[in-house]
Amino acid sequence: MNLQSYNDQDLVKVYIAGNENGLQELLRRHKSKIYTSIYLLVKDQYLAEDIFQDAFIKVINTLRSGRYNEEGKFLPWVMRIAHNLVIDYFRREKRTPIITSADGMDVFNTLHFYDESAEDKMLRDQTHKDLKAMIHLLPDEQKEVLLMRHYADLSFKEIADLTDVSINTALGRMRYALSNLRKMLKTKEMTYKG
């Protein structure tokens, strides 16, 4: 049977019915897009391969247990699983994104002073820690867009596709994230002055 002419939904049914070739064809069809989306986020080949494998283990377990019900939306469903695994990885690693200013400079690096005194260095280190802590306080959707935009350097279209929302929603989440960071910074400055 030539499975290449089947749509994703039919291939899922073929696999659930016990024919491994259904999953093989789905993998052949979508592997590159799924792997690339993971790699763009983690920027590490081996880590991307590990997360890709974890995603397909979840896919297989869900299909075998009969819990799959994403009618006709196989690829977005797998992308969501992979994307969630990447976010879990960043949370576990507590890695913080690089935040760039409008001219493309890393905000943390612009805080570097050439003839920096011990006091300046302490202040810079504290600012790094404060900003990282503030990013971790953001709501998940906002933190996610911030990580994907500044750490993984994804476009808002790519972010929208990966998170299964409109571009406007992704842009809005970014606006809220930056607004919330500004508010937190203001509160922090008031605390220092007070």
Side-chain angles (χ1 to χ4, degrees):
M1 109 172 59
N2 180 10
L3 295 177
Q4 289 185 355
S5 60
Y6 282 45
N7 67 28
D8 288 357
Q9 194 58 31
D10 290 337
L11 289 170
V12 167
K13 288 176 184 160
V14 165
Y15 175 70
I16 291 172
N19 183 342
E20 294 288 323
N21 293 331
L23 185 67
Q24 290 302 322
E25 176 58 23
L26 284 165
L27 240 159
R28 186 198 64 74
R29 195 174 284 183
H30 300 300
K31 178 178 188 202
S32 151
K33 183 169 187 170
I34 297 163
Y35 173 82
T36 303
S37 74
I38 296 168
Y39 180 79
L40 284 170
L41 289 168
V42 298
K43 293 187 173 23
D44 177 301
Q45 177 187 345
Y46 300 108
L47 179 59
E49 287 169 9
D50 285 349
I51 292 174
F52 178 83
Q53 286 180 340
D54 289 348
F56 262 86
I57 289 169
K58 277 195 162 189
V59 166
I60 290 166
N61 289 339
T62 304
L63 292 176
R64 284 189 176 156
S65 69
R67 288 177 294 149
Y68 175 77
N69 59 0
E70 307 282 327
E71 291 294 313
K73 298 205 182 332
F74 179 78
L75 182 60
W77 174 66
V78 178
M79 295 288 268
R80 209 165 42 249
I81 289 172
H83 167 253
N84 288 340
L85 289 170
V86 169
I87 299 300
D88 290 346
Y89 166 77
F90 282 128
R91 279 200 192 112
R92 273 196 316 274
E93 295 297 310
K94 292 276 189 263
R95 284 169 61 182
T96 305
I98 296 166
I99 309 247
T100 52
S101 60
D103 59 2
M105 296 286 291
D106 179 354
V107 170
F108 289 136
N109 287 342
T110 58
L111 297 171
H112 178 71
F113 307 108
Y114 292 106
D115 293 326
E116 172 171 72
S117 68
E119 186 180 331
D120 288 338
K121 184 183 180 331
M122 279 175 46
L123 188 63
R124 181 172 52 86
D125 291 347
Q126 187 58 49
T127 306
H128 279 231
K129 277 175 49 183
D130 290 349
L131 191 53
K132 285 179 182 178
M134 288 175 199
I135 289 167
H136 287 293
L137 293 173
L138 290 172
D140 285 346
E141 294 95 25
Q142 293 172 25
K143 187 180 352 179
E144 181 176 76
V145 172
L146 194 74
L147 281 168
M148 294 170 95
R149 180 75 189 110
H150 290 292
Y151 184 79
D153 204 26
L154 295 182
S155 71
F156 283 105
K157 168 142 185 33
E158 291 169 314
I159 293 169
D161 290 345
L162 277 170
T163 55
D164 211 17
V165 298
S166 72
I167 290 178
N168 284 341
T169 300
L171 285 165
R173 287 176 179 175
M174 184 61 154
R175 236 185 345 269
Y176 284 122
L178 294 174
S179 168
N180 283 333
L181 283 175
R182 272 188 218 104
K183 284 179 196 159
M184 286 186 243
L185 281 167
K186 251 189 194 123
T187 305
K188 196 107 183 131
E189 283 171 17
M190 302 294 260
T191 310
Y192 286 145
K193 287 177 186 166

